[in-house]
Amino acid sequence: MEGLSSRELRVIACRVAGEAAGYLRDLREDYSVFKKVSSGKETIVADKKAEDYIVDLLKNEGFRGIIVTEESGVVEVGGERLIAIIDPLDGSFNYACGIPWCSVSIGFARCRRGFLNDVVAGAVQPIYYPHASYSFSSVEGVFVGGEKVSRDDVERNLELIGYNTIALYCESSVALKSVEKILRAKNYSFRVRSLGCASLEIIATSLGKMILFIDARSKLRCVDVAVALGISRLLNASFSSINGDEVKARIDFIDKIDSLILSPKKEYLNWALNVLGSKE
Ligand code: IPD
Ligand code: CA
């Protein structure tokens, strides 16, 4: 697979993520998949089963590189200069509760050691909206299902839908304190959502369906955001840490993201960083 174009890698990511989403829809019939794999760990049986399923699908597609995946960490399946970075089930809690906002993420980078912006193609497949897959390749841009998305679509969404909605994750008092200035900003009244599947909310924000995505908790990992941020980059969304620093996580192991603030427009990101007192 090393020699495949990013266009071809996008097709494979869509196929594997689509099959894994179908597998997870079927798996939900069986209540035992909501059990924790071991006490003290967040992982439920469905996370692990989906991961094993995706690893097998990738091997059957001919993938021979390293697979960086949420539950098992780094899995070596051959010597090619390729990374597959996967979150087999983003939004496990939603999935277990029957809240249909959850997804499968699969991305590819042509290296064995790299950073978020080395991801050249990938797909985020909402588990319960099979036709609305989100995918990108570095040469083609971003697709929703089979349709290419343009910057005009983003502007239109922002004007009609997203102009005053923020996706906000700040569950600790420290995190809440770090972002409260945004909520107190004069002349603004925001609608706030914390929907439980970071990849889908990052994509929704990049598509202009929200004006800001803010995660102030230091809880996200590269697997949660790698593909979603690839989509953000190609849609010209702007993002940084809440201190205004570059988000530069590694993708060859489960690296952490300190914090993330993202907007479909640079001017809104700058406004938010300014309100927070961070550098622009
Ligand atoms: C979770 C979701 C959620 C975020 C959590 C993540 P997971 O992913 O993305 O939005 O709040 O921090 O852990 O664990 O269900 O893959
Ligand atoms: Ca997960």
Side-chain angles (χ1 to χ4, degrees):
M1 266 173 77
E2 204 178 47
L4 295 184
S5 66
S6 61
R7 198 185 295 256
E8 291 164 315
L9 290 172
R10 180 180 78 82
V11 172
I12 293 172
C14 288
R15 187 159 58 227
V16 173
E19 284 188 35
Y23 174 74
L24 278 159
R25 285 195 297 277
D26 294 343
L27 208 58
R28 214 181 160 275
E29 307 287 308
D30 172 3
Y31 262 67
S32 69
V33 301
F34 307 140
K35 284 192 194 140
K36 296 253 160 73
V37 273
S38 59
S39 59
K41 272 198 104 185
E42 286 284 302
T43 309
I44 60 171
V45 172
D47 291 310
K48 185 69 182 100
K49 279 185 170 260
E51 177 175 282
D52 293 345
Y53 188 77
I54 293 169
V55 169
D56 281 346
L57 287 176
L58 285 171
K59 284 187 194 161
N60 291 341
E61 291 279 353
F63 181 88
R64 300 289 179 266
I66 63 170
I67 303 178
V68 178
T69 174
E70 191 176 18
E71 314 307 336
S72 305
V74 179
V75 183
E76 296 254 2
V77 294
E80 289 189 353
R81 279 173 55 81
L82 263 186
I83 297 175
I85 180 157
I86 68 179
D87 187 345
L89 171 51
D90 188 13
S92 310
F93 176 77
N94 284 356
Y95 175 80
C97 276
I99 301 170
W101 187 251
C102 47
S103 66
V104 175
S105 282
I106 301 185
F108 294 110
R110 282 199 203 86
C111 50
R112 288 184 75 90
R113 186 178 183 280
F115 293 90
L116 288 170
N117 56 11
D118 290 312
V119 179
V120 292
V124 174
Q125 175 65 61
I127 293 168
Y128 291 100
Y129 304 99
H131 302 297
S133 64
Y134 303 102
S135 63
F136 82 99
S137 79
S138 51
V139 290
E140 294 167 293
V142 172
F143 294 79
V144 178
E147 298 288 314
K148 189 145 180 248
V149 184
S150 70
R151 187 66 208 178
D152 285 351
D153 297 321
V154 175
E155 301 289 342
R156 192 201 50 224
N157 285 337
L158 201 49
E159 195 179 313
L160 293 177
I161 314 169
Y163 56 92
N164 70 344
T165 306
I166 301 182
L168 182 60
Y169 288 92
C170 57
E171 287 134 24
S172 72
S173 52
V174 178
L176 180 60
K177 190 117 199 73
S178 69
V179 294
E180 69 176 343
K181 285 185 186 158
I182 298 259
L183 302 176
R184 288 177 192 274
K186 274 203 195 111
N187 307 328
Y188 291 92
S189 162
F190 291 114
R191 189 164 35 202
V192 176
R193 294 291 184 271
S194 197
L195 297 173
C197 179
S199 59
L200 289 181
E201 279 140 275
I202 290 170
I203 293 169
T205 310
S206 305
L207 286 170
K209 294 178 181 173
M210 307 204 215
I211 195 169
L212 286 169
F213 171 95
I214 305 175
D215 190 308
R217 305 169 304 169
S218 305
K219 250 189 159 179
L220 293 175
R221 297 131 306 169
C222 59
V223 286
D224 296 312
V225 302
V227 183
L229 287 181
I231 288 174
S232 309
R233 247 188 293 127
L234 284 175
L235 288 175
N236 281 326
S238 301
F239 58 90
S240 71
S241 76
I242 61 170
N243 298 321
D245 297 327
E246 188 186 353
V247 178
K248 204 168 185 260
R250 292 268 293 272
I251 54 162
D252 47 321
F253 59 88
I254 307 285
D255 202 2
K256 271 198 158 183
I257 313 292
D258 281 340
S259 61
L260 178 65
I261 177 162
L262 176 141
S263 175
K265 281 199 171 191
K266 189 152 183 64
E267 64 187 279
Y268 301 144
L269 176 70
N270 286 344
W271 171 84
L273 291 174
N274 203 18
V275 169
L276 293 171
S278 318
K279 61 186 173 204
E280 284 181 18

